[in-house]
Amino acid sequence: MKDAADKRMTLSEAAQLVQSGDTVVGGGCCYSRTPWAMLLELVRAERRGLTLARNLMCYESELFLASETASKLVSSWVGIGLRWGIPKVFREYVERDPSIYEEWSHLSFGMRLMAGSMGMPFLPTASLLGSDLLDRLPAEHIRCPFTDQLLVAVPALVPDVALIHVQTADARGNAQIEGPAYMDVECARAANTVIVTAEEIVPSEAIVRTADRTVIPGFVVDAVVEVPFGSYPHECHGRYEADFDHFDGYTEMVTREGVAGVQAYLEETVTAPGSFAAFLDTVGASRLLEQRRRARELVAA
Amino acid sequence: MKDAADKRMTLSEAAQLVQSGDTVVGGGCCYSRTPWAMLLELVRAERRGLTLARNLMCYESELFLASETASKLVSSWVGIGLRWGIPKVFREYVERDPSIYEEWSHLSFGMRLMAGSMGMPFLPTASLLGSDLLDRLPAEHIRCPFTDQLLVAVPALVPDVALIHVQTADARGNAQIEGPAYMDVECARAANTVIVTAEEIVPSEAIVRTADRTVIPGFVVDAVVEVPFGSYPHECHGRYEADFDHFDGYTEMVTREGVAGVQAYLEETVTAPGSFAAFLDTVGASRLLEQRRRARELVAA
Amino acid sequence: MSGATPIELMTIAGSRLLRDGRVVFAGVGAPLEASVLAKRLHAPSLTIVLEGGSIGPRMLPGRLPVSTNEMRAAHDAFMLTSINDLFLYGQRGHYDYGFIGAGQLDQYGNVNTSYIGDPDAPKVRLPGSGGANDIVSSCCEVMIMTRHEPRRFVERVDFITSPGYLNGPESRRSAGLVRNRPVAVVTDMALLGFDEKTGRLRLDALQPGVTEEQVHANTGFELLVSEAIGELPPPTDQELAELRWLRDGNRIDTPQTREVTSAP
Amino acid sequence: MSGATPIELMTIAGSRLLRDGRVVFAGVGAPLEASVLAKRLHAPSLTIVLEGGSIGPRMLPGRLPVSTNEMRAAHDAFMLTSINDLFLYGQRGHYDYGFIGAGQLDQYGNVNTSYIGDPDAPKVRLPGSGGANDIVSSCCEVMIMTRHEPRRFVERVDFITSPGYLNGPESRRSAGLVRNRPVAVVTDMALLGFDEKTGRLRLDALQPGVTEEQVHANTGFELLVSEAIGELPPPTDQELAELRWLRDGNRIDTPQTREVTSAP
C-alpha cells in the first residue's frame, strides 16, 4: 500500500485498514485537529475492542467506550475543556473498572511515541520520577551509563494504526500541518499503518513548492482521504473553531441521560446520517461557515 | 542576556560571548548555511584552543586548526565536496596527531545533540554497533530495559556556544529557517549560549504571522546579528548558491602551498579586510548577485 | 471598581510572582490568566508557553482558551511547535516557572489530579496529569495555584500525580528530582512557601482581610508559619480592570479587541 | 552512442537494482546518480532520500549536487527536514535501500572510509563515516557501489567504519545488527552478493566483456563464486543517454533543463 502512487480512498475504505483489537493512536490534541471523521468511521464500521491512545482525549473517549469500539484507553488527560469538565460517562466507566484506562504524563506519553518514531525500544525522561503514576505503568527506572543520573525509561509505543487529520496532503500522502503539530508527526512515524484525512488534497506541485513545510512523508502513509471539516465539531487550526455550542448540547444530553445520551449522540451523528458528509449536512452550511469566520479572527495577523 | 528584549549586536560583540577553550558547535551542514561570518569572527578575535563540533565539516576545519583557533574537532565527516575531496591541511594535522579529531557517525553525532537539547544525559541508537568507531569513542553499549535489545548509548553534547546562521530572525532571537533545518535546532536547544546570525532581521510581527515556521525561540538565544551573505562563500538555501569558483581558488592555493596557503587565505579574507562586510566588498556585488540568481533557479517551483 | 472575588485575589497574587523577561509554562485557567495579566501589566517580556505547542501567545480578551491546545491559545504566538518539542525545552531547563493548578494538595506540595480514593477502586476519577507531572519534573521553579479549601489541602494526597517534596527534600532528591524545586502555593487566602529543611508548606503571607486562623481552618494539615507573616497588597484598580477585561472582553469580537500591548 | 565507461557500467547496473515505489537512502556520487537514473527510467515512484534532509528530490541535469546537503540536492524535493529526522526514518525501518560508496571493502562487506593504516598512526586520513555507518545500521537492504580495484577489495579493512557481516552473520547478529542486512556490491566489473551462511562476498554476475579471471585478479581476497555466474545486460542507448544528460546537462542552465518526468 505504502508504495502506491495514489492512495486516495473513502473513509469507509480507509476503515478497512483497521482491525478489531488494534491499537489506534489519534492525532491532534483534546478538541484540536482531532481525526473526528475517521474516529467516527471506526464506530460506523463496528470495530470492537480497540485500544485508543491519544495524548489528551476529549469526549471521543466515552463515544468509543459506550459503543464498545474501544475496550481500553491510553492518555495523559481526559476532559472536554474547562467549561465542560471531565466526560461523565468516561468517568463512570473508569470508576467501575480502573484497568481500562492507562494514565501517563503528557511528555512521557509523547516520549513513548517518539521512541516508536525513532525505531528505538525505549527513551529516557525525567518525567514520572517520584510519582505514583510510575508504580502503575510499564515504565522502569534507568540510570545514565555516563552520569549515573536516575531517570525513567518509557517503552516505545508502536501503534497498529495512526489516524491523522491535516490541513493539506497530496494523493501520495505527503502532508503539511498549519499551527501546532501536536504529536502527529511522531504518531505517523511510529505507527505501522497510517491513515491521513485532509481538509484539502492538493497537487504534488503545491507540496514541492513548500517542501520545508511537509512534516509527514508519503512513504509512511497508507491512505489519504479528503474530508473537509474532518475535525468538526472539534477545531482545525486556521480553518474553523471548535463548536462550543455543539459541546454544550452534547454535555447537556450526557449529563441528563448518561450512557444513553452518548448512544443517542452516536445515533444522531453517525448511524442516522450514514456518512460524515451527511452529518455535516445536518449541521448546516451557515453554522460551518460561522466556525470558519471565527477561526479567521484568531489567525489573521 | 537571554531575557533581553533586544539582542541585536555586531559580530565582534557577539564574539565576546565565546571564551578560548570553549566547545563551539556550528550549525548548517558542510558548505550549507554555515555560520561562516561568525566562525571567521572567532579567528579575528583570536580565540584559542576551541573544540569545534559540526555534523559535517568543510574547510573551516583547517582554517581553525591552522590558525590555532581550534585544537580539537568533532564531526562525522570532513570534506569540501566531491569535486575537491578532503581538506589537505586538515588531513595533514590529523595524520600527524589523530587525537585531535573525534569521529562519530552522522546520526550518532546528531543523537548527542538531541540528547543535549532534550535535557537528557544520553540517548540510545542503533548506529555504531559493530563498528571500530565505537571502540574509539566515549559511547557505551546499553540494553533496552524492556526488550533486552543491544544498542549504543551516546552521551549528550552540551556545547558552551552554538553558532547558527538563519534566513530570518527578530531582535529577540526568534528564528526561522528555509529549506532543510540540518541540526540547527538541536544545536540551539542544547548549547548554553546561542549566537544567531541572520540574513535579515525582521519585525516580530512577521514572525508572529508565520509562527509555525519559527524553529528557534528567542528565550534560548543570547545574540542576534544581521549578516547578509553571512554564509558566503558557502550557500544559504534559497538565498545564494555556494561559490564553487571560490572553492576552486582556495583548494588550488592550499594544494600548492599547504598550511601557508591556509594562512594566506585567512590573511586575505579575515585580517586584511578587517570585517566581514569589507571581505564581501572584496568579492564584489556582481559576483554575490550572480550567486543569488543561481539560487533562484534552484528553488523556483 | 467592585471588590475582588476570591478567585481574582488568587489570580492577581499569582501574577505578581512572575518577573519580566522570564519564561512561564502555564496551565490553563487561573495560572494562564495570572500569566497573561502579568504580561499585560508589569512583565511585557514574559514569555508564556502552553502545553499544546504555543510559545509566546497573547490572548484575545474575552476569548481566553478553554483548553491549552486550541486556536485561542495560539493567538499571536511567535512559535507554534509540537507538544514534545515544547515539553523538551522544559526538560532542558529553559522554563523559569512552571505554574499549575491542583485538585488535591498535601503538606509537601504533592499534587493529585488523578484519583480520589483508592486508585484501584476510585471514588472519583479526575482528569489526570496532562502536562502537570512534566511541569513539576522540569520547570526551574514550580508554583501551584488553587482555592484554599480543606478538601483540597489534605494531610496526604490519595495519589501523587505530580510530586512536590514527596516526604521531604531528601526523598525528592533520591527519587531523581534533582534539577528544580517547588517554590510557592498561591491561594485565595494566602501565599505559601516551602520550608527548606523539611519541604513542608509554610504560611508566608495572607490575602487582604484574611486571618491566620481562617487559613488554618481551611488547611487539612498542620501548616508551618513564617516568622513574620506578611500581608499581600490588595489588587489595584488597574489589576482588577485588566483581569476582568481579559476574562469578559467585549461582547462582539472585533479586531479592536485584539491585545496590542507588547512585543513577543 | 559511444561505449560505456567503467563508471557508467557500474552506475547503470546499480540503477537496475532499485525497484519502483521503494525508498532509497543514497550517498552522493555514483549511488545518487544510479538512483536518479532509476527514477527517470523504470522507477518513477522511487523516493530518493539524501543525508542533508532532502526527501524525494529530482535533480536538475547538469547540476547534480556536489554534497548531499546543498540546494541542488534539495531541488524539487517534496520534503525538506532536519538531518536527525531524516536518519530516524531510517532507524524506524522506513528506508528499503541504503546505497553507499566505499573507500576500502573486505570479504564480509565491511567498509572503511576512515583510516588507511593504523588509526593511531594513520597513513591516510579519509573523509569519515558521514551517514554511511548509520545507513548500513538501519536501511533494510544495504547496497555498496565501488570501483573494482585490488587496493579497495582487501582481505580485511584497516578500520570498520560501516559494518558489513563483520566476521560472518553470527558476529553481525551478536553485535546487535539484527534488523537489516547487506545484500549487494555493484562494481564496474561485477555484481556481487553475500553468501547467506558465511556472510562472504560472492560473484553473482559479470559486467559485459569482463571475465571471471579479471574479477579475481582485481579482488584482494578469495571471492566466492555463484553456481551459475550471470552476465549483466549491456547498458541500453537510453540508459547511457539519460545518464550522460544527467551528468552534463546543458551548458546553459535554463528552466527548460528542468526535469519534469515524474510526480514526487
Side-chain angles (χ1 to χ4, degrees):
Chain A
M1 193 91 64
K2 290 198 203 291
D3 60 359
D6 188 346
K7 296 166 187 166
R8 284 174 295 180
M9 56 181 81
T10 63
L11 286 170
S12 68
E13 286 165 346
Q16 300 308 310
L17 301 177
V18 183
Q19 310 303 315
S20 287
D22 276 355
T23 293
V24 175
V25 67
C29 181
C30 191
Y31 56 72
S32 297
R33 221 160 32 64
T34 311
W36 195 258
M38 196 61 221
L39 283 168
L40 293 202
E41 196 65 31
L42 297 183
V43 175
R44 185 176 286 118
E46 299 185 346
R47 292 296 172 274
R48 290 290 175 268
L50 301 179
T51 294
L52 181 66
R54 196 158 177 250
N55 62 85
L56 302 188
M57 278 193 192
C58 193
Y59 67 93
E60 72 278 10
S61 54
E62 60 192 17
L63 299 184
F64 265 51
L65 289 176
S67 61
E68 295 176 34
T69 309
S71 53
K72 187 171 180 185
L73 306 179
V74 181
S75 187
S76 76
W77 188 87
V78 181
I80 304 180
L82 278 185
R83 188 158 136 192
W84 307 276
I86 188 169
K88 177 183 148 74
V89 166
F90 160 78
R91 170 181 275 179
E92 286 170 7
Y93 268 78
V94 177
E95 289 169 2
R96 205 154 50 230
D97 179 5
S99 74
I100 63 165
Y101 178 59
E102 190 176 291
E103 179 182 2
W104 297 81
S105 72
H106 209 166
L107 180 61
S108 61
F109 179 86
M111 289 300 96
R112 294 192 61 198
L113 279 171
M114 190 182 265
S117 76
M118 293 168 70
M120 286 290 99
F122 80 98
L123 274 181
T125 177
S127 287
L128 301 181
L129 285 167
S131 74
D132 288 340
L133 290 168
L134 185 55
D135 302 334
R136 300 174 69 81
L137 287 171
E140 298 287 344
H141 279 110
I142 189 173
R143 285 195 179 271
C144 171
F146 306 105
T147 64
D148 205 42
Q149 189 184 340
L150 185 64
L151 295 163
V152 170
V154 297
L157 178 54
V158 179
D160 296 302
V161 186
L163 314 180
I164 308 291
H165 186 69
V166 302
Q167 284 88 353
T168 49
D170 69 10
R172 197 169 267 254
N174 299 301
Q176 301 188 333
I177 288 174
E178 298 159 24
Y182 307 123
M183 292 187 193
D184 291 45
V185 178
E186 292 88 337
C187 289
R189 278 160 66 161
N192 291 320
T193 296
V194 177
I195 298 170
V196 169
T197 56
E199 291 290 320
E200 301 173 73
I201 295 183
V202 298
S204 290
E205 292 69 28
I207 298 287
V208 166
R209 267 195 302 275
T210 53
D212 52 10
R213 300 208 47 144
T214 305
V215 291
I216 297 174
F219 59 71
V220 308
V221 173
D222 296 83
V224 185
V225 190
E226 185 171 86
V227 191
F229 285 94
S231 286
Y232 180 86
H234 287 196
E235 71 162 35
C236 182
H237 185 95
R239 305 300 174 103
Y240 42 92
E241 254 213 309
D243 189 338
F244 291 168
D245 293 340
H246 185 102
F247 293 4
D248 286 342
Y250 173 78
T251 49
E252 275 161 32
M253 182 155 76
V254 173
T255 302
R256 210 169 48 234
E257 301 176 31
V259 67
V262 175
Q263 278 149 356
Y265 179 81
L266 286 171
E267 172 61 28
E268 272 171 37
T269 67
V270 180
T271 319
S275 75
F276 189 74
F279 158 65
L280 292 180
D281 282 336
T282 70
V283 176
S286 64
R287 185 162 179 171
L288 295 175
L289 292 172
E290 168 63 12
Q291 296 312 110
R292 259 204 208 290
R293 189 191 64 74
R294 295 176 63 83
R296 278 201 310 275
E297 286 178 355
L298 288 164
V299 290
Chain B
M1 193 89 64
K2 288 197 203 291
D3 60 0
D6 187 346
K7 297 166 186 165
R8 285 175 294 179
M9 57 181 80
T10 65
L11 285 170
S12 68
E13 287 165 345
Q16 300 309 310
L17 301 177
V18 183
Q19 312 303 316
S20 286
D22 276 356
T23 293
V24 175
V25 68
C29 182
C30 192
Y31 57 72
S32 298
R33 221 159 33 63
T34 310
W36 195 259
M38 194 62 222
L39 284 167
L40 293 201
E41 195 65 32
L42 297 182
V43 176
R44 184 176 287 118
E46 298 184 348
R47 292 296 172 273
R48 290 289 175 268
L50 301 179
T51 294
L52 181 66
R54 197 158 176 250
N55 62 84
L56 302 187
M57 278 194 190
C58 192
Y59 68 93
E60 71 279 10
S61 56
E62 62 191 16
L63 299 184
F64 266 51
L65 290 176
S67 61
E68 296 175 34
T69 310
S71 54
K72 186 170 181 186
L73 306 179
V74 181
S75 186
S76 76
W77 189 87
V78 182
I80 305 181
L82 276 183
R83 187 158 137 190
W84 307 277
I86 190 168
K88 176 183 149 78
V89 167
F90 160 78
R91 169 181 276 179
E92 287 170 8
Y93 270 77
V94 177
E95 287 169 3
R96 203 152 53 231
D97 178 4
S99 75
I100 63 165
Y101 179 60
E102 189 177 292
E103 179 182 3
W104 296 80
S105 72
H106 208 167
L107 179 62
S108 61
F109 179 87
M111 289 299 96
R112 294 192 62 198
L113 280 171
M114 190 182 265
S117 75
M118 291 168 72
M120 285 291 99
F122 80 98
L123 274 182
T125 177
S127 286
L128 301 179
L129 285 168
S131 74
D132 288 342
L133 292 167
L134 184 56
D135 302 334
R136 301 173 70 82
L137 287 171
E140 298 286 344
H141 279 109
I142 188 173
R143 286 196 179 270
C144 171
F146 306 105
T147 64
D148 205 43
Q149 190 185 338
L150 185 64
L151 296 163
V152 170
V154 298
L157 178 54
V158 179
D160 296 303
V161 186
L163 314 180
I164 307 292
H165 186 68
V166 302
Q167 285 88 354
T168 49
D170 68 11
R172 196 168 267 253
N174 299 303
Q176 302 189 333
I177 288 173
E178 297 158 24
Y182 307 125
M183 291 187 193
D184 291 45
V185 178
E186 292 88 337
C187 290
R189 278 159 65 160
N192 291 319
T193 296
V194 177
I195 298 171
V196 169
T197 57
E199 291 291 319
E200 302 173 72
I201 295 183
V202 297
S204 289
E205 292 68 29
I207 298 287
V208 166
R209 267 196 300 277
T210 53
D212 53 9
R213 300 207 49 142
T214 305
V215 292
I216 297 175
F219 59 70
V220 308
V221 173
D222 296 84
V224 184
V225 190
E226 185 171 86
V227 192
F229 284 95
S231 287
Y232 181 87
H234 287 196
E235 71 162 34
C236 182
H237 185 96
R239 304 300 175 104
Y240 42 91
E241 254 213 309
D243 189 338
F244 291 168
D245 294 341
H246 185 102
F247 292 4
D248 285 341
Y250 172 79
T251 50
E252 274 161 32
M253 184 155 77
V254 174
T255 303
R256 208 168 51 233
E257 301 176 32
V259 69
V262 175
Q263 277 149 355
Y265 179 81
L266 286 171
E267 172 62 28
E268 271 171 38
T269 66
V270 180
T271 320
S275 74
F276 189 75
F279 158 65
L280 292 181
D281 282 336
T282 71
V283 176
S286 64
R287 185 160 178 173
L288 295 176
L289 292 172
E290 168 63 11
Q291 296 311 112
R292 258 203 208 292
R293 189 191 63 74
R294 295 176 64 81
R296 278 201 309 275
E297 287 178 353
L298 288 164
V299 290
Chain C
M1 191 69 52
S2 65
T5 67
I7 294 254
E8 286 171 343
L9 279 174
M10 175 178 87
T11 306
I12 288 167
S15 79
R16 294 171 179 163
L17 299 177
L18 302 169
R19 290 170 56 196
D20 198 18
R22 304 304 167 95
V23 185
V24 57
F25 190 160
V28 77
L32 173 59
E33 288 176 20
S35 303
V36 177
L37 185 63
K39 189 171 170 64
R40 295 179 65 86
L41 292 178
H42 65 274
S45 290
L46 180 72
T47 299
I48 298 169
V49 306
L50 296 173
E51 194 160 338
S54 177
I55 298 181
R58 290 172 292 173
M59 300 301 153
L60 260 186
R63 283 174 87 174
L64 295 182
V66 188
S67 180
T68 57
N69 44 276
E70 54 141 304
M71 288 183 67
R72 295 168 181 212
H75 181 68
D76 272 3
F78 57 76
M79 178 162 171
L80 297 174
T81 186
S82 75
I83 290 169
N84 281 331
D85 270 5
L86 188 118
F87 276 101
L88 291 173
Y89 278 106
Q91 195 171 267
R92 172 63 180 84
H94 284 303
Y95 297 153
D96 299 295
Y97 309 116
F99 211 165
I100 63 169
Q104 208 185 39
L105 177 79
D106 69 20
Q107 59 183 326
Y108 291 105
N110 301 308
V111 170
N112 175 16
T113 48
S114 296
Y115 304 94
I116 302 295
D118 175 1
D120 289 317
K123 224 156 62 190
V124 183
R125 170 69 224 182
L126 301 172
S129 161
N133 172 279
D134 312 300
I135 289 173
V136 304
S137 304
S138 71
C139 295
C140 299
E141 299 194 341
V142 174
M143 300 187 297
I144 299 162
M145 198 178 323
T146 186
R147 299 294 301 272
H148 212 129
E149 301 167 351
R151 68 180 181 106
R152 291 181 185 271
F153 281 74
V154 298
E155 176 89 25
R156 185 72 189 174
V157 289
D158 295 335
F159 186 87
I160 300 180
T161 311
S162 304
Y165 280 106
L166 296 172
N167 299 307
E170 181 44 36
S171 65
R172 183 173 167 89
R173 261 193 303 278
S174 67
L177 293 159
V178 292
R179 308 184 305 173
N180 70 335
R181 63 197 179 100
V183 297
V185 175
V186 191
T187 79
D188 48 346
M189 306 191 81
L191 176 63
L192 315 176
F194 288 92
D195 178 59
E196 216 171 290
K197 226 168 110 180
T198 63
R200 287 177 56 199
L201 274 172
R202 182 191 59 219
L203 174 58
D204 281 352
L206 296 164
Q207 291 280 15
V210 175
T211 67
E212 193 184 329
E213 290 62 42
Q214 285 174 308
V215 171
H216 287 300
N218 281 280
T219 305
F221 52 84
E222 203 197 311
L223 184 62
L224 300 182
V225 172
S226 178
E227 281 176 32
I229 300 178
E231 185 173 318
L232 299 170
T236 65
D237 280 356
Q238 194 196 10
E239 284 173 324
L240 268 178
E242 284 284 342
L243 178 56
R244 287 172 185 175
W245 184 48
L246 267 180
R247 300 184 66 155
D248 303 335
N250 291 341
R251 283 294 142 116
I252 305 148
D253 297 315
T254 68
Q256 293 93 280
T257 64
R258 193 81 63 60
E259 178 197 354
V260 289
T261 314
S262 57
Chain D
M1 191 71 51
S2 64
T5 67
I7 294 255
E8 287 171 341
L9 279 175
M10 176 178 86
T11 306
I12 289 166
S15 79
R16 294 172 180 164
L17 298 177
L18 303 168
R19 290 169 57 196
D20 198 18
R22 302 304 166 96
V23 184
V24 58
F25 190 161
V28 78
L32 173 59
E33 288 177 20
S35 303
V36 176
L37 186 63
K39 189 170 170 64
R40 295 179 65 85
L41 293 178
H42 66 274
S45 291
L46 181 70
T47 299
I48 298 170
V49 305
L50 296 172
E51 196 160 338
S54 178
I55 298 180
R58 289 172 291 172
M59 301 299 154
L60 260 186
R63 283 175 87 173
L64 294 182
V66 189
S67 180
T68 56
N69 44 275
E70 55 142 302
M71 289 183 67
R72 295 169 181 212
H75 181 68
D76 273 2
F78 57 76
M79 178 163 172
L80 297 173
T81 187
S82 76
I83 290 169
N84 282 331
D85 269 6
L86 188 117
F87 276 101
L88 291 174
Y89 278 106
Q91 194 170 269
R92 171 62 179 84
H94 284 303
Y95 298 154
D96 299 295
Y97 309 115
F99 210 166
I100 63 170
Q104 209 185 40
L105 176 79
D106 71 18
Q107 58 184 327
Y108 291 105
N110 302 308
V111 170
N112 176 17
T113 49
S114 296
Y115 304 96
I116 301 294
D118 176 0
D120 289 317
K123 225 157 60 189
V124 183
R125 171 69 224 180
L126 301 172
S129 160
N133 172 280
D134 312 301
I135 290 173
V136 305
S137 304
S138 71
C139 295
C140 300
E141 299 195 340
V142 175
M143 301 188 297
I144 299 162
M145 199 177 324
T146 187
R147 299 293 301 271
H148 212 130
E149 301 167 351
R151 68 180 182 105
R152 291 180 185 271
F153 281 74
V154 298
E155 176 88 24
R156 185 72 189 174
V157 289
D158 295 335
F159 186 89
I160 300 180
T161 310
S162 305
Y165 280 104
L166 297 172
N167 297 308
E170 181 45 35
S171 66
R172 183 173 167 89
R173 258 192 306 277
S174 66
L177 294 158
V178 292
R179 307 184 306 172
N180 69 335
R181 63 199 179 98
V183 297
V185 176
V186 190
T187 79
D188 49 344
M189 305 192 80
L191 176 63
L192 314 177
F194 289 91
D195 178 60
E196 215 170 290
K197 227 168 110 179
T198 63
R200 285 177 57 199
L201 274 171
R202 181 192 59 220
L203 174 58
D204 281 351
L206 295 164
Q207 291 280 15
V210 176
T211 67
E212 193 184 330
E213 290 63 41
Q214 286 174 308
V215 172
H216 287 299
N218 281 279
T219 305
F221 52 84
E222 202 197 313
L223 185 60
L224 300 182
V225 172
S226 177
E227 279 176 34
I229 301 178
E231 185 173 316
L232 300 170
T236 65
D237 281 356
Q238 193 196 11
E239 284 171 324
L240 267 178
E242 284 284 340
L243 178 57
R244 288 170 184 175
W245 184 48
L246 266 180
R247 301 184 66 155
D248 304 334
N250 290 343
R251 283 295 141 117
I252 306 149
D253 297 315
T254 67
Q256 295 92 279
T257 63
R258 194 80 62 61
E259 179 197 353
V260 290
T261 313
S262 57

